[in-house]
Structure formats: C-alpha cells, structure tokens
Amino acid sequence: MISTDALRELLPGGRVFDDPDVLTAHSRDRATFCPAGTPLALVRARDTGDVSAVLKWAHDNRVPVVPQGARSGLSGAANALDGCLLLSLEKMDAILDVDAEEQLAVVQPGVVNGVLAATVAEKGLFYPPDPGSRSISTIGGNVSTNAGGMCCVKYGVTGDFVRGLEVVLADGRVMRAGRRTAKGVAGYDLTRLVVGAEGTLGVVTEVTVALRPAEAQPLTAVAFFPEVVDAARTVTGYLAGGHRPSVLEFMDASSVKAVQQIADLGFPEGMAAMLLVQSDRGDQAPADLAAFGEVARARGAAEVVVSDSAAEGEMLMQARRLVGDAHEKLGKALLIDDVCVPRRHLADLVEGLQRIAEHHRVQVLCSGHAGDGNMHPVVAFDDADAAETERAQQAFDAIMRLGLDLGGTITGEHGVGQLKRAWLGRELDETGLWASRAIKSALDPHNILNPTRVLP
Amino acid sequence: MISTDALRELLPGGRVFDDPDVLTAHSRDRATFCPAGTPLALVRARDTGDVSAVLKWAHDNRVPVVPQGARSGLSGAANALDGCLLLSLEKMDAILDVDAEEQLAVVQPGVVNGVLAATVAEKGLFYPPDPGSRSISTIGGNVSTNAGGMCCVKYGVTGDFVRGLEVVLADGRVMRAGRRTAKGVAGYDLTRLVVGAEGTLGVVTEVTVALRPAEAQPLTAVAFFPEVVDAARTVTGYLAGGHRPSVLEFMDASSVKAVQQIADLGFPEGMAAMLLVQSDRGDQAPADLAAFGEVARARGAAEVVVSDSAAEGEMLMQARRLVGDAHEKLGKALLIDDVCVPRRHLADLVEGLQRIAEHHRVQVLCSGHAGDGNMHPVVAFDDADAAETERAQQAFDAIMRLGLDLGGTITGEHGVGQLKRAWLGRELDETGLWASRAIKSALDPHNILNPTRVLP
C-alpha cells in the first residue's frame, strides 16, 4: 500500500482526505450495477496547480486517478477504483469571466450547470446545454461526458459550446487547447478529443464556453396518442416540415401514469404516448405550435393542448421534468439506458422495448428526447430478487443491442463509463477501437487516468 | 527510386499516372510561397478499396502520401512532396444518400460543396458551410481543413455538420467514426479529430453530414463608414444586441475600391470601411436589417442601404464575392492571410494592418467574416522584385503575430498546411504540441500521411 504522506506534504491544509467514511461517501456516481472499489484517498483540488501536483505524484507512483465532479453521472465513470486517488474538482467552482461582447464565459470545472446558466441569463445571455441533472451537475462533468439535454434538438450538445479547455495530462503537464475566438483551425482539435473522454485523457481545469443571445420565453404544447407509432410519425413529420422546436420530448404510457401518480396534471387516460413540444421563437411560437397540433392531429393524436402562456407551459414541462422522480417513486431499482436511434425508428424502438419487457419479465418505461431519437428506456426491477435482477441486466443489454440494430448508438448523452464498456467494443469497429487505444496509450502510457473506463 | 510497377498492378486500368506533365499539373494547391516537390506518381482513387490499397502499399514501402481534393486550399497542404504519391479523391464524387427525414446526407469526398448544397436544396434542405471556394472545393477538402465561410456567424463551420466519417488510416485499415444519429457519445470523438487534420491522420473516404431545413431567401443591407473603428463597433454592438445575422462581412477601403474597378456598384467615395449584413429570418428580416441600420448610424455610418428584395440583395452580395477576383486584377502576387481575433479587436487588427503595410512598404487589403472576427488580410506585392517579396513575407508574418497578440489564432478557416507550420509552434503551448505529435505518431508511426504538414 502506497503511503499518501508525501501527497499530504505536497497538498497541505485539508486537501487530502483518507477517512474511510469520507471515502465511502465519495466512491460512487449514480450508476446502477457498477462496482466501486476502495480508494487510497480523496483530494479536493483548489486550483490547476493542485491538479497538476496530484497527477505528477500519481504518475510517479503509478497510482490510478479518478476525476470527479458532482458524481451525478449515470455510467460509473466516477466510481472509485481500488487503490485510486479520487480527484474532486468540485471546489474549483469559480466563474472566471462572462464576456457579453464576445458571447463567451470562462469557468472552472466545478461550476454547476444551472449556476452558469442563471449567471449568464442575468446578462441577457443563454448557455443552452441543459442535462436533466443541471441543478447539480458540473460543467466539468458535462464536458467530460459531452452531456446533452432537452435543448439539443435545436441548440446542440455541450461539445458544440466548448471553445477551449485547460487540461492537465496524465503526467501533470498543463495544456491549453482551443481558443477564445469564434473560429479557429490551428492544429488538431484537442478540445473535442477531451470532450466526452470521461476523464481518461486529461483532467479539465478550465472551460471556455460559447454563449448565445437570450431567446424568448418558450410556449409549450402537448399531444396524446392512442398509438406509439403515431407519436413517432408526428416527430418525423413535424421536423421534416422544416420546424425547429426548442424542445421535442416523448413519454410512454407508463411514464405518464407514473407522473400522474405524483402530480395529477389531468392528462387523458388510456393513451399510449405523449409528446411535448416547445418553441422559443417569440411572436412565431404560436404558429409553430399550431403547426405541431395540425401534424399531430393528422397523425392520430387524440388530444392536443397548447398553452397560451409561458407559465402554463412551464407547468406542462413539469410533467416531463418529473419523470425521473416518478420512476424513483415506483419503489424499484432502476437501470437507465440511453440509446439514440435514427428518428424514423422511434416506433420500432418503443415496440422493441415492449417485446424486451415481456421476454425478460421486467417493467420497461420509456421517455426521452424524441426530436434527437435519444431515448431513455428505464428497466424497473426488484433488486432483492436475484433472478429478476439478472433478467433486468439481460433486458438492459437487449436494449443496447436493439439500439445498434436500428442503426443507432449505445449512448446518446450519458457516456460509456464502466457500465457500457463491453458494449463500446460492439459499436466501434476494430480499427476504431485500435485508434482509440492508440491515442489513450500515447497520451497516458502508464494508464493513470480513469483506467478501465470507456475503452474495453 | 521506388518503382510504381507493383502499385500499377494493384490498381490497373488507368488509376496510376506518372507522366511528368500530369504530375506537374497536380503538384500544387493555391497557396503562395509554398514549395512543391516532384511526386513519384498520381493515383486517382475510385473507391475506398483503392485508397486502402494505395496506403497499404505506401506504408509497406515507406512512401509519403499527399491526399488531394480540388487543390483549392490556401496553405500548401496538398502540394507534392519529393517522391510522394499524390492520392486524388476527386473521382470519388458520388452523393450516396440524401435522407430528408433524418436530415442528413452521405457523400464521397470528391463531391463539390456547391453541388451538394444545390442537390439538397432541391429537397428543401440546407447544407450551410459555404467556403468562398464552394463552387470548386470538395467536401473532403472542406472536412480536412474544417472549412468556414460566410454562413459561420449563424450556422457554424464544416465540423459542426460532420456526423460521421469513413477514414483510411496510414497503414490502409479502414475505420468508421461517428454516427448517423443526431447525438452520440460512444468513445472518443475520432470524427472531430480527423476533421481539420489536413490529411495527416487519415484519408477521408466518406462523409455523413447533418442538414437543416431550408431558410428563407435572405435580405441584405450594406453600410459605409468614414472610420474603420465605427464599423468594428457596429459589428460588436449589433451582435451584443442579440441579433443573429446569417452573414456579417467587412471590406476595407482598398477592397471596396478594387471591386468598384471591376463592377461599378455606385458605392460612395472616401469611405474607410463597408459592412454587409444578411438576415434569412423571413418575415423578421426587414426588422433585423432596420435594427442593423440603427446601430450603424448611431456609430457613425455615413450611408446605409437596405435592399428590399432578395434579388437586389444578391447584387450587393456580388460586391463581397468579387473581392477575390478584384484582388487578382490588381496584377500583383497575393499572400492571403486568415487570422481570427476576438470581435472587439477588429479595429485594432485593421489599424495594425495599416502600420504593417507602412512599415514593410507593401499593400495590405483586408476583408473578411467580421461577425466571427475572422479576417483575410491580403498582402499584394510585386513578386518580380526580390526585396519586395521578402518584405511581403515579413508583413505576412507580422500579421500572424498581430493576430496572436490580439488574443486570436493564426488560422480561422484556411488551415496550417505548409504555409503556417512554423507559426503553429507559436500558437500552441509546449504540452499541446507534444500531445499533437504523440497522436500523430500513434496513428501514423511511419509518418506516411502528408508528412511535414501542420505540425512543426
């Protein structure tokens, strides 16, 4: 066992923790079925110098390092490994600059997404990436997973807003990648390589993000369908008609029912699917939603509700936002999947989920970002029942297989982490895997940074 | 000298050329001051199998390979190296799929940008990236340089529209990177790593691009300013006001004058700068342009002209599009630069260019994508005069120094190639250079792909 005394000397003043209770409390993110090891210590970095010192020490001593933000991830990428250093970036939570003229912000990785969004909103600016975890998740974590959210259908994902990064490499060297300018093509895109690498290529210590001008308060509509396939056809039909909604979400019957049980929103009974759409185009929003209503009705919607105020729309959005809580309230263990398929296969996906649920005798609920084809099937099961737990894992795997068979990906926004590592080998081809491993080995030859994550 | 007989056997039927005239005709792109070597042969690939076979042969025989598209690049990245194979992708020019429902297209690298744009427009779709070379440049070249254009201020650059790639690695292995779906975070972003790598990491043999719904025909306005600084303040003021023009371009007095000499557009005399703005927001475009006029007048514009039809606007756009031709007509050699600076430093950049022109006694004209801060200063000089040529090179270097000093980059959209290779070492930090070289060595250990380009 390596002693952390030298590390404590390097980083005095309460930055290194090895109390077992503290370590246990910091050993897991929010993934299900991902084992966590016993860490050597937890370091709370206060600045880039701390991160560099930790990595240099870890590199010299061949100790694995697991970077952590808010541990709100869903793939186990921030779980402890045996004998690792947990490197928490949470205390590096300063917003260093909000530049309204250049429409950018420079932040430390520990800044919470919602805090950044609210701060820039005060200056009339808009930071679109809005993962469901935005009230707790950090920008560093969002960058490391290339997080998505509801806005993506119109505005894109986290990576689309990252202009530059400060990154500490596995041996402690500090690198600046990217730029502050709107454009720039000087050299390889190291910024985008680190975005989504889940802490395996470097530790992000500063992020320069692009901002947009604030948009109008969105208006909202919901539509209810007796048949899932008609909801799916509404999604493709509406988007193919040239509309660019700012939100276009799907909830299946089970998700709607679960939400109704914690907050009665008066939704109709007996529906197979619900779509929720928003437009933030100001004066044009009512026409956008009217067009949505027409498309939905023409494809079999039983009911369409268009809110005529932003406040009423916000109430409808609550239904979507409550899905996670509603699933939790089922009193079962949950395995949250994250497949993304071509939009035209949304109905095939949902129908396939029904077959998987029946075959494996588990409940599968489904909601997600329909406009992107990025769905979150949730396997709900009794984790006190070993056989059902086994069947739940099989169902989870069958969902990823289905996503790939429909021309999709195993992860649209949550990342690979530990949970889907074996599956990455089925999504990438042999040469892509080789290239990925070659890059990892080149930048981190001693496999210090989050080993055993992402790459199989 | 290596014999190409074996290569000819591998690729029979007129795919391998070694006629010296043919080789000479294919030895250069459009960069100034970039030497070209004598190639061993030119291969015109017809499919991915050809590209793979060429690279395998080249790898086995340690022969450098220079990939080429339309050779419209401006940085020498496609110039021949002594003893290299020129690998032309021009004949791989099929549009394989235009999928209106998923809003994507799959194309071979040799498809000309403008051909793709026109083809998808017939289906009511829009491929925004619009480099100035779009009537001749290929998608493969656009991907390899991460090309920009006038649309970027609103829609982003080529890389923002690339979802997936087929890439042949240096040893001939074929890799699929990315996806067809709207989102996806499975593994490292190999797609974005290859985008902008200027053929040094792999040869792109297929590109999946995202499309958008068609936008309305844009309306156009121009404004003329007695002082450059007021034009610059108009750019920042208009954008900070929350406007998102689809085009926002700058021309300095010399560029306006040069254009007037080939097409009298009746522009006012004695102005220091002109801005051209477009809005493609349909019914809202007139209000967008009216707001632009107000901002411009409040900041000292002497004249603002708002077109009231798309056709009249197109005529004004001609002025901007003619800048390249107008510069050519000066009868001098031209060195085209491509710095991108924070928008607030546009005036500092233009003033700095005047000082550089005076100090080095050469003419420097300037136009560019003002909304992105991406400017194209052009050094015009007499290349029959060795001393003036030397001063032109010094001015070119001084412009890049100025761009970096203003917090910008040496290249916003043209790439590094051969022309700016030494300068990349001044823009990147030591660790960034190390990481870039490590990635190159990992993926191409024998330095087969476009060696001596990009990385210093």
Side-chain angles (χ1 to χ4, degrees):
Chain A
M1 181 98 167
I2 289 165
S3 157
T4 55
D5 291 350
L7 188 63
R8 215 178 280 275
E9 270 175 44
L10 272 175
L11 300 166
R15 281 173 281 182
V16 181
F17 303 81
D18 55 11
D19 178 272
D21 289 345
V22 172
L23 296 185
T24 302
H26 289 80
S27 285
R28 288 186 171 279
D29 64 18
R30 300 195 171 200
T32 310
F33 283 147
C34 284
T38 303
L40 182 65
L42 164 73
V43 180
R44 288 191 181 282
R46 293 184 192 162
D47 57 29
T48 302
D50 283 1
V51 175
S52 177
V54 167
L55 282 167
K56 188 172 183 327
W57 182 87
H59 194 259
D60 289 347
N61 291 283
R62 303 288 188 263
V63 173
V65 174
V66 177
Q68 294 187 329
R71 292 179 292 106
S72 55
L74 292 165
S75 71
N79 279 9
L81 295 164
D82 281 334
C84 81
L85 286 183
L86 298 175
L87 175 54
S88 170
L89 285 303
E90 260 186 317
K91 296 284 181 201
M92 290 178 63
D93 62 354
I95 296 177
L96 303 171
D97 188 15
V98 178
D99 186 333
E101 201 167 36
E102 300 294 330
Q103 299 182 335
L104 61 82
V106 183
V107 305
Q108 290 188 314
V111 171
V112 169
N113 176 306
V115 171
L116 173 62
T119 303
V120 306
E122 284 169 20
K123 297 197 178 194
L125 294 164
F126 176 30
Y127 177 67
D130 62 346
S133 59
R134 73 184 309 180
S135 63
I136 51 167
S137 66
T138 64
I139 298 297
N142 294 173
V143 167
S144 295
T145 54
N146 197 7
M150 288 202 264
C151 75
C152 306
V153 65
K154 181 165 178 181
Y155 295 107
V157 297
T158 299
D160 297 320
F161 291 85
V162 178
R163 284 197 185 165
L165 295 173
E166 183 185 74
V167 180
V168 184
L169 297 187
D171 58 7
R173 281 180 296 166
V174 181
M175 167 176 97
R176 286 211 160 258
R179 58 204 153 78
R180 276 176 79 101
T181 51
K183 291 161 72 180
V185 295
Y188 299 155
D189 196 341
L190 301 175
T191 305
R192 279 303 269 258
L193 184 64
V194 171
V195 170
E198 304 185 39
T200 64
L201 297 180
V203 177
V204 172
T205 48
E206 190 187 289
V207 187
T208 301
V209 295
L211 305 171
R212 292 173 57 107
E215 298 290 338
Q217 280 289 313
L219 291 184
T220 309
V222 290
F224 297 90
F225 299 84
E227 304 290 340
V228 168
V229 66
D230 294 330
R233 286 171 52 227
T234 298
V235 169
T236 48
Y238 187 56
L239 295 174
H243 296 282
R244 289 182 63 83
S246 53
V247 164
L248 183 45
E249 296 288 309
F250 170 89
M251 288 165 64
D252 73 353
S254 308
S255 299
V256 172
K257 193 173 153 197
V259 167
Q260 282 276 109
Q261 280 169 359
I262 61 170
D264 185 0
L265 293 156
F267 289 160
E269 300 273 316
M271 293 291 121
M274 170 182 145
L275 291 178
L276 183 148
V277 65
Q278 288 195 322
S279 169
D280 59 3
R281 296 206 305 150
D283 294 348
Q284 296 185 297
D288 290 342
L289 299 190
F292 173 77
E294 275 174 40
V295 173
R297 282 192 205 92
R299 283 163 182 75
E303 193 174 331
V304 178
V305 181
V306 179
S307 74
D308 43 24
S309 73
E312 191 185 295
E314 190 45 42
M315 214 180 65
L316 294 172
M317 272 296 273
Q318 275 306 98
R320 175 66 185 94
R321 293 219 181 87
L322 283 172
V323 164
D325 288 348
H327 289 167
E328 301 267 338
K329 286 266 165 66
L330 295 172
K332 292 188 170 186
L334 304 174
L335 258 172
I336 303 169
D337 220 318
D338 173 44
V339 293
C340 188
V341 298
R343 289 190 296 254
R344 69 160 58 86
H345 292 310
L346 276 179
D348 303 323
L349 178 69
V350 176
E351 284 162 16
L353 295 177
Q354 287 164 359
R355 283 196 306 275
I356 288 169
E358 284 161 23
H359 181 77
H360 295 285
R361 289 176 289 130
V362 288
Q363 193 180 0
V364 179
L365 306 95
C366 184
S367 60
H369 314 305
D372 292 317
N374 182 197
M375 304 296 265
H376 297 310
V378 172
V379 184
F381 63 100
D382 178 1
D383 60 357
D385 179 337
E388 187 168 330
T389 301
E390 173 71 24
R391 295 200 307 275
Q393 283 180 303
Q394 288 166 356
F396 184 73
D397 282 0
I399 292 168
M400 283 187 282
R401 178 78 270 158
L402 175 63
L404 290 179
D405 288 347
L406 292 172
T409 170
I410 57 167
T411 177
E413 57 182 16
H414 292 170
V416 174
Q418 195 154 308
L419 189 66
K420 298 185 172 181
R421 196 180 158 212
W423 279 91
L424 187 65
R426 293 169 216 182
E427 176 157 344
L428 300 191
D429 61 21
E430 202 183 322
T431 309
L433 266 179
W434 175 86
S436 304
R437 289 181 179 131
I439 290 166
K440 168 70 173 171
S441 296
L443 297 183
D444 182 10
H446 299 295
N447 210 12
I448 299 300
L449 281 168
N450 225 1
T452 73
R453 270 68 195 256
V454 183
L455 297 180
Chain B
M1 180 95 168
I2 290 164
S3 156
T4 55
D5 291 350
L7 187 64
R8 215 179 280 274
E9 271 175 43
L10 272 174
L11 300 166
R15 283 172 279 182
V16 181
F17 301 84
D18 55 10
D19 179 273
D21 290 344
V22 172
L23 297 185
T24 302
H26 289 80
S27 285
R28 289 185 171 278
D29 64 18
R30 298 194 173 201
T32 311
F33 282 149
C34 285
T38 303
L40 183 64
L42 164 73
V43 180
R44 289 192 181 279
R46 293 184 193 163
D47 57 29
T48 302
D50 284 1
V51 175
S52 177
V54 167
L55 282 166
K56 188 170 184 325
W57 182 88
H59 192 258
D60 291 346
N61 291 284
R62 303 290 188 262
V63 173
V65 174
V66 176
Q68 294 187 328
R71 292 179 291 106
S72 55
L74 291 165
S75 71
N79 279 10
L81 295 165
D82 281 334
C84 80
L85 287 184
L86 298 174
L87 175 55
S88 171
L89 285 302
E90 261 185 316
K91 295 285 181 200
M92 289 176 65
D93 61 353
I95 295 177
L96 303 172
D97 188 16
V98 178
D99 185 334
E101 202 168 34
E102 301 293 330
Q103 299 182 335
L104 61 81
V106 183
V107 304
Q108 290 189 314
V111 171
V112 169
N113 177 305
V115 171
L116 174 61
T119 302
V120 305
E122 283 169 18
K123 297 196 176 195
L125 294 163
F126 176 30
Y127 177 67
D130 62 345
S133 59
R134 75 183 308 179
S135 64
I136 52 166
S137 66
T138 63
I139 297 298
N142 294 173
V143 166
S144 294
T145 54
N146 196 7
M150 288 202 263
C151 77
C152 305
V153 66
K154 180 166 179 181
Y155 295 106
V157 296
T158 299
D160 297 320
F161 291 84
V162 179
R163 285 198 184 164
L165 296 173
E166 182 185 75
V167 181
V168 183
L169 297 186
D171 58 8
R173 282 181 295 166
V174 181
M175 168 175 95
R176 286 212 158 257
R179 59 204 152 77
R180 275 176 80 100
T181 52
K183 291 161 72 181
V185 295
Y188 300 154
D189 197 341
L190 301 174
T191 305
R192 279 304 270 257
L193 184 64
V194 170
V195 169
E198 304 183 41
T200 64
L201 298 180
V203 177
V204 172
T205 48
E206 190 186 289
V207 188
T208 301
V209 296
L211 305 172
R212 292 173 57 107
E215 298 289 339
Q217 280 289 313
L219 292 184
T220 310
V222 291
F224 298 90
F225 298 85
E227 304 291 339
V228 168
V229 67
D230 294 330
R233 286 170 54 229
T234 297
V235 170
T236 50
Y238 187 57
L239 294 174
H243 295 282
R244 289 182 63 83
S246 52
V247 163
L248 183 45
E249 296 287 309
F250 171 90
M251 289 165 65
D252 73 354
S254 307
S255 297
V256 173
K257 193 173 154 197
V259 167
Q260 282 276 109
Q261 280 169 358
I262 61 171
D264 186 359
L265 294 156
F267 290 160
E269 300 273 316
M271 294 291 121
M274 169 181 147
L275 291 178
L276 182 148
V277 66
Q278 288 195 321
S279 169
D280 59 3
R281 297 206 306 151
D283 294 348
Q284 296 185 298
D288 290 342
L289 298 190
F292 173 78
E294 276 174 40
V295 173
R297 283 191 203 93
R299 284 163 180 77
E303 193 172 331
V304 179
V305 182
V306 180
S307 74
D308 45 22
S309 74
E312 191 185 294
E314 191 43 42
M315 214 180 66
L316 293 172
M317 272 297 274
Q318 276 303 100
R320 174 66 184 93
R321 294 220 181 85
L322 283 172
V323 164
D325 287 348
H327 289 166
E328 301 265 341
K329 286 267 165 65
L330 294 172
K332 292 186 168 187
L334 305 174
L335 257 172
I336 303 170
D337 219 321
D338 174 43
V339 292
C340 187
V341 298
R343 290 189 295 254
R344 69 160 59 85
H345 292 310
L346 275 179
D348 302 323
L349 178 70
V350 177
E351 283 163 17
L353 295 177
Q354 287 164 359
R355 285 197 306 275
I356 288 169
E358 284 161 23
H359 181 77
H360 294 285
R361 288 177 289 131
V362 288
Q363 192 179 1
V364 179
L365 307 96
C366 184
S367 60
H369 315 305
D372 291 318
N374 183 196
M375 303 295 267
H376 297 310
V378 173
V379 184
F381 62 100
D382 177 0
D383 60 356
D385 178 336
E388 187 168 329
T389 301
E390 173 71 23
R391 295 200 308 275
Q393 283 180 304
Q394 288 165 356
F396 185 73
D397 281 1
I399 292 168
M400 282 187 282
R401 178 78 270 160
L402 174 64
L404 290 179
D405 289 345
L406 292 173
T409 171
I410 57 167
T411 176
E413 58 181 17
H414 292 170
V416 174
Q418 194 155 309
L419 189 67
K420 298 185 171 179
R421 195 178 159 214
W423 278 91
L424 187 66
R426 293 169 216 182
E427 176 157 344
L428 299 190
D429 62 21
E430 202 182 321
T431 309
L433 266 179
W434 175 85
S436 303
R437 288 180 179 134
I439 290 165
K440 168 69 173 172
S441 295
L443 298 182
D444 182 10
H446 298 295
N447 210 12
I448 299 300
L449 280 168
N450 225 0
T452 74
R453 269 70 195 253
V454 184
L455 296 180

